[in-house]
Amino acid sequence: LNDNPSPYILKLSGMLRSPKLDFHPPFLMLMPVPLGVKTESVFTIIPRDFIRPSRITVKLPQLELADGTRTCPFSMQFTEGQDIVISSDGTTNELTCCISFKSSKPMSFLGEVLFIDQEENRLLEQQTIVFLPYTRTWHCTTLIKKL
């Protein structure tokens, strides 16, 4: 102040922690079913390092069929809500999800399911989905990869 150097030094330190999502189980397998029959799997999202409440949305992939039409054979339900709530002790609630797939037409596909928070952060490209035709049935293997 007033051109006099201060005899005190102020040191600040901190740790930057970005919100992330963990998944249980770490991979999913949708069981093979005949065309036109729905297959589904349930998994849990475990929020980590959130400092405020948030709402998770999902961006499901659209597929282009041989005739040029686009379709989304996937659906996702948050069975107990999609809001991340932070308790007074700093812990967050887990979210239970059910992903399903149903198609009446054969197709092959490789894509991702994106989980996005309310601030439009892509938290994790959670699942790479591979569909392989197997005698008119579907098989889905999902693999986790972090951004």
Side-chain angles (χ1 to χ4, degrees):
L1 294 156
N2 299 330
D3 295 326
N4 293 326
S6 173
Y8 301 101
I9 296 175
L10 177 64
K11 290 185 179 182
L12 301 175
S13 65
M15 183 185 321
L16 178 63
R17 297 170 80 177
S18 297
K20 63 184 175 190
L21 300 176
D22 290 334
F23 296 84
H24 181 75
F27 69 92
L28 298 173
M29 182 177 294
L30 295 174
M31 299 310 296
V33 293
L35 293 174
V37 175
K38 182 167 79 170
T39 181
E40 62 187 12
S41 185
V42 175
F43 62 96
T44 303
I45 298 175
I46 305 157
R48 304 272 189 228
D49 299 328
F50 278 79
I51 59 172
R52 61 181 152 267
S54 190
R55 183 176 204 49
I56 301 299
T57 58
V58 178
K59 183 177 179 185
L60 297 170
Q62 285 200 344
L63 311 177
E64 187 169 341
L65 302 176
D67 64 4
T69 59
R70 296 188 67 79
T71 183
C72 183
F74 302 97
S75 65
M76 179 81 70
Q77 285 187 308
F78 290 86
T79 58
E80 298 168 11
Q82 59 198 83
D83 293 326
I84 296 173
V85 179
I86 302 172
S87 67
S88 60
D89 65 357
T91 59
T92 55
N93 61 313
E94 296 180 351
L95 306 175
T96 304
C97 297
C98 178
I99 187 168
S100 62
F101 175 87
K102 180 179 178 180
S103 177
S104 59
K105 297 182 180 183
M107 66 182 77
S108 294
F109 174 72
L110 172 64
E112 295 172 333
V113 175
L114 301 177
F115 291 85
I116 303 165
D117 70 5
Q118 68 188 30
E119 295 175 8
E120 298 297 319
N121 294 314
R122 287 174 33 172
L123 296 171
L124 193 71
E125 292 185 7
Q126 192 262 344
Q127 299 165 342
T128 300
I129 300 173
V130 181
F131 285 92
L132 304 170
Y134 176 74
T135 64
R136 299 188 61 81
T137 62
W138 294 107
H139 172 76
C140 170
T141 304
T142 58
L143 308 168
I144 292 179
K145 74 175 182 180
K146 295 194 178 194
L147 287 175

